[in-house]
Amino acid sequence: MAEGEGWRPPRPCEAYRAEWELCRSAGHFLRHYYVHGERPACGQWRRDLASCREWEERRSAEAQRSLCESERARVRAARKHGLVWAPRQSPPEDWHLPLPEDKDG
């Protein structure tokens, strides 16, 4: 089997198009700007969509490589952020005691 012959993109091209359109939407822009203080970077979704379409039309090895690298970068970015809360191994020792009463009220 030739290289890339049985390979398929990690997502359907429609998924890349949907992500690109979502990224460019006004609602997403406002949320992203509010949280991060900068415009969302939608260029990678557009490049991935173009690579996916190129793969479907020409079976380009460059498009295959580009999609693989992009998905790997997304996975690395998602793994970079650890859990905010550490999961408990057991409940606190005094979990069964009543809560302290508010003396100020």
Side-chain angles (χ1 to χ4, degrees):
M1 176 155 49
E3 181 179 329
E5 192 174 310
W7 184 84
R8 291 185 357 200
R11 306 171 191 224
C13 291
E14 181 63 25
Y16 292 113
R17 188 187 64 76
E19 289 286 355
W20 180 58
E21 288 180 356
L22 173 69
C23 187
R24 294 176 51 229
S25 71
H28 177 75
F29 173 83
L30 292 173
R31 279 188 297 278
H32 192 276
Y33 192 81
Y34 178 78
V35 172
H36 301 286
E38 61 187 24
R39 297 176 56 154
C42 302
Q44 188 61 47
W45 289 116
R46 179 71 180 114
R47 286 188 295 275
D48 290 346
L49 175 59
S51 293
C52 188
R53 287 182 175 159
E54 184 178 339
W55 167 257
E56 284 186 341
E57 293 169 5
R58 298 184 192 91
R59 297 293 193 241
S60 165
E62 178 63 26
Q64 178 183 1
R65 185 192 60 73
S66 174
L67 284 171
C68 287
E69 285 179 7
S70 177
E71 289 295 331
R72 284 186 191 115
R74 278 192 194 94
V75 169
R76 280 193 305 271
R79 289 182 181 166
K80 182 172 78 171
H81 304 290
L83 294 174
V84 174
W85 302 98
R88 290 184 179 164
Q89 301 302 321
S90 61
E93 292 180 14
D94 60 350
W95 70 269
H96 63 285
L97 298 176
L99 294 174
E101 294 295 323
D102 187 15
K103 302 292 184 192
D104 297 333

